[in-house]
Amino acid sequence: MGWASAAATCGRLQPGGGGGESSSTTTTRTTQMDPSCPPFPQPEAPPLPLQLQLQPGLPRLELPTLDLERVGGEDRAALVAACRDLGAFRVVNHGVPGELRRRLLELGKQLLGRDTFELKKARPGYFWGTAALKSLRVKEVNWLEGLHVDLVPGSSSSSSQVGDGDDDDDDGWMRIRALMAEYGDHMARIARKLFDALAAELGLDHHQAASYLAERQGFLRLYRYPPCPSSASCLGMEPHTDSSVLSIILGQDHVGGLQVIRDGAWRDVAPAPGELLVNLGDMMTAISGGSYQSVRHRVLASRPSTERVSCCYFAFPQEDAVVEAPSGIGGGVYRPFSYREFREQVQADIKAVGTKVGLSRFYATATSSIEWTPLESGEWRGREKPS
Ligand SMILES: O=C(O)CCC(=O)C(=O)O
Ligand SMILES: [Fe+2]
């Protein structure tokens, strides 16, 4: 069975779900199976997760826009305000050549869309579904694929030397890696600049500023959200906060799909040509003692006639650096911990409860007596067990 049977499941969806989906999703489609994707989950699509239900009609969210060349100086206050408020902002004047951005997304889209799922599966770094967050509850509804590339800063040989057409370089897969390496150098540079401005604001010393953002730990994920046979019952990527210090998203100029939670409601982030979107992650929240927000976000599944391509950079602390907010900032909300500890806890939680619990595991107060309950938003809330 292929997409035609999957489309039949659309008929049982609740109205109002699926972010911009029109009622046309209730009609049966007879789309052919897409060979670039695995078979759609059968016999039934998974139940509609509660968090898919949207508050319809809210305007797109315009994020604050910051000039990278000014964040260390006259725009530092605006940067800090954006970090305290939502934990997401746009960056302009970032110095990443438009041609590099264009070629990266174009080639990624071409390669991921061209090869069959079976062929891609064998490629190093290729994944289907949400690589880091695979939740047992909803893993099947993440309709996306991607290529994960670890970065070694400064190692990129300029990809501009590599041509654009189809040639003998392993059908373009080596070229995309070269482009990603070059793009990754820009990301490391931008992350450093943003982080140093925030580190100065927090009063971190030189050693902390260096170990809390370690360029060698950074990686890139190139994503394709292929047309989804049942886009109203699936997500492209489930709601989450990033575990990183900060993440930088490059999306296509006019393709939306990314949403963030603002005042308890999911809001579309307006795509803005040429800009990069920065999300703060959990590590930044910990480093700032909870002063800066890690923003909760998700990506809608692409509707049948559309697809989204994006490239996301993630910056992390050194694995064993003890992350701790400077005294006087944040009032000791979190106990000191290393990123390695955090990652292991996330993996253990995914195994045990089916999803990432996240930073609330690291509250300074003892958590062994805490009972965890899932919320409708997809978050987990801890409560003291009655004694
Ligand atoms: O593709 C996007 O725009 C967002 C990806 C994302 O949130 C992530 O990789 O954590
Ligand atoms: Fe994310």
Side-chain angles (χ1 to χ4, degrees):
M1 294 206 285
W3 285 23
S5 57
T9 63
C10 292
R12 64 183 171 76
L13 292 180
Q14 297 160 29
E21 284 295 324
S22 73
S23 58
S24 66
T25 53
T26 56
T27 58
T28 303
R29 293 183 204 98
T30 51
T31 323
Q32 290 301 304
M33 165 112 182
D34 178 349
S36 76
C37 300
F40 195 76
Q42 297 293 340
E44 288 262 296
L48 180 69
L50 287 172
Q51 64 264 33
L52 257 183
Q53 294 166 30
L54 299 178
Q55 295 82 350
L58 290 174
R60 283 174 160 185
L61 191 63
E62 295 298 338
L63 298 176
T65 300
L66 301 169
D67 181 330
L68 186 68
E69 290 308 316
R70 296 158 65 120
V71 292
E74 57 267 58
D75 281 4
R76 193 161 108 189
L79 171 67
V80 170
C83 293
R84 285 185 187 280
D85 178 36
L86 182 66
F89 52 88
R90 297 190 176 285
V91 175
V92 292
N93 201 16
H94 45 61
V96 187
E99 185 59 10
L100 175 61
R101 289 182 275 127
R102 185 193 66 75
R103 289 173 68 198
L104 178 61
L105 295 182
E106 281 291 307
L107 186 60
K109 183 174 179 172
Q110 186 197 322
L111 296 180
L112 289 165
R114 179 196 69 191
D115 286 358
T116 62
F117 176 60
E118 290 307 315
L119 264 180
K120 288 180 292 194
K121 257 189 345 192
R123 293 222 166 258
Y126 175 81
F127 59 90
W128 177 270
T130 309
L133 300 163
K134 267 201 166 50
S135 130
L136 302 177
R137 274 183 312 140
V138 292
K139 68 178 177 201
E140 308 254 70
V141 300
N142 290 293
W143 202 250
L144 87 152
E145 61 181 342
L147 185 67
H148 174 110
V149 170
D150 288 317
L151 295 170
V152 182
S155 69
S156 67
S157 57
S158 177
S159 63
S160 44
Q161 292 158 12
V162 193
D164 231 350
D166 264 348
D167 52 24
D168 54 0
D169 79 338
D170 201 15
D171 275 351
W173 288 94
M174 275 168 64
R175 191 160 358 102
I176 195 78
R177 285 177 180 279
L179 286 170
M180 287 171 84
E182 184 179 350
Y183 178 76
D185 282 348
H186 284 285
M187 294 298 102
R189 169 181 61 77
I190 294 169
R192 182 86 258 160
K193 204 154 195 163
L194 291 169
F195 187 76
D196 283 352
L198 292 168
E201 180 71 22
L202 291 169
L204 301 185
D205 63 33
H206 181 71
H207 173 74
Q208 286 169 316
S211 62
Y212 289 178
L213 187 94
E215 280 85 348
R216 295 202 157 262
Q217 309 286 334
F219 58 77
L220 276 180
R221 290 202 177 124
L222 180 69
Y223 296 116
R224 173 176 172 253
Y225 299 84
C228 178
S230 184
S231 54
S233 67
C234 295
L235 283 170
M237 193 179 286
E238 68 194 64
H240 65 282
T241 55
D242 294 345
S243 296
S244 57
V245 176
L246 56 86
S247 313
I248 307 176
I249 301 174
L250 167 67
Q252 288 163 288
D253 282 355
H254 301 288
V255 181
L258 181 68
Q259 297 187 322
V260 298
I261 284 205
R262 174 78 176 166
D263 301 327
W266 284 110
R267 300 282 297 275
D268 290 317
V269 175
E275 299 179 348
L276 297 172
L277 175 72
V278 177
N279 282 344
L280 300 191
D282 300 329
M283 291 305 105
M284 185 66 96
T285 304
I287 291 165
S288 66
S291 313
Y292 301 156
Q293 309 298 315
S294 56
V295 63
R296 202 162 179 77
H297 55 287
R298 67 181 188 181
V299 182
L300 298 178
S302 298
R303 278 173 278 173
S305 54
T306 61
E307 68 181 38
R308 170 186 173 80
V309 185
S310 64
C311 189
C312 204
Y313 170 77
F314 301 88
F316 293 92
Q318 266 167 23
E319 289 232 315
D320 292 314
V322 176
V323 169
E324 193 170 11
S327 60
I329 294 185
V333 193
Y334 303 107
R335 67 172 176 80
F337 61 91
S338 69
Y339 175 65
R340 183 195 298 277
E341 226 183 305
F342 183 82
R343 197 185 52 207
E344 286 171 0
Q345 182 67 57
V346 168
Q347 285 162 0
D349 285 335
I350 288 175
K351 220 166 160 192
V353 296
T355 194
K356 170 179 164 180
V357 174
L359 266 186
S360 40
R361 283 282 193 216
F362 293 86
Y363 285 143
T365 47
T367 53
S368 56
S369 59
I370 301 247
E371 201 167 58
W372 296 97
T373 338
L375 302 178
E376 285 200 10
S377 63
E379 284 167 294
W380 287 71
R381 208 25 67 76
R383 222 185 31 182
E384 202 69 42
K385 278 186 199 154
S387 49

